[in-house]
Amino acid sequence: MTTYIGVKDGQWRWTGAEPGLYRSSPKVERTFCRTCGSPVSFRSQAMSGTMHFYAAAMADPEVFAPSVHVAHEEKLCWFNSDDGLPKRNGPEYL
């Protein structure tokens, strides 16, 4: 389980060196830090037009307020998502 911050293309840019790119499957791209290997982002053709950045890789992820739980059907049994946010299965919300 992870937390992504989805940002529409055209509303973000790399400010330093571009991370490495790995195509983990025919329709999925993942980026990673070329120095330490930490994951940076995820992009799927099923959710085209949006880059999903790992919150754990951000310097200040608290500035982004959550708006939806996606792939809610895959949550861990102990994760409490009773916070009033909408819940969506898989990528169909886009």
Side-chain angles (χ1 to χ4, degrees), residues 48-86:
S48 62
T50 302
M51 182 69 89
H52 292 86
F53 297 94
Y54 285 88
M58 297 186 153
D60 193 13
E62 291 84 8
V63 301
F64 299 94
S67 60
V68 64
H69 294 289
V70 178
H72 185 258
E73 75 281 10
E74 298 176 7
K75 76 174 186 66
L76 298 172
C77 65
W78 49 258
F79 180 72
N80 182 0
S81 59
D82 295 331
D83 53 12
L85 293 177

Side-chain angles (χ1 to χ4, degrees), residues 3 6 8-9 13 16-17 19 37 41 48 54-55 71-73 92:
T3 301
K8 297 285 184 188
D9 288 344
R13 64 185 170 84
S41 69
S48 62
Y54 285 88
H72 185 258
E73 75 281 10
E92 76 241 16

Side-chain angles (χ1 to χ4, degrees), residues 15-78:
T15 58
E18 281 197 32
L21 177 69
Y22 174 68
R23 286 178 171 64
S24 60
S25 64
K27 297 181 179 183
V28 174
E29 296 178 349
R30 299 174 187 275
T31 64
F32 59 92
C33 173
R34 292 180 188 268
T35 302
C36 69
S38 294
V40 176
S41 69
F42 164 87
R43 180 190 298 278
S44 169
Q45 285 182 7
M47 299 177 276
S48 62
T50 302
M51 182 69 89
H52 292 86
F53 297 94
Y54 285 88
M58 297 186 153
D60 193 13
E62 291 84 8
V63 301
F64 299 94
S67 60
V68 64
H69 294 289
V70 178
H72 185 258
E73 75 281 10
E74 298 176 7
K75 76 174 186 66
L76 298 172
C77 65
W78 49 258

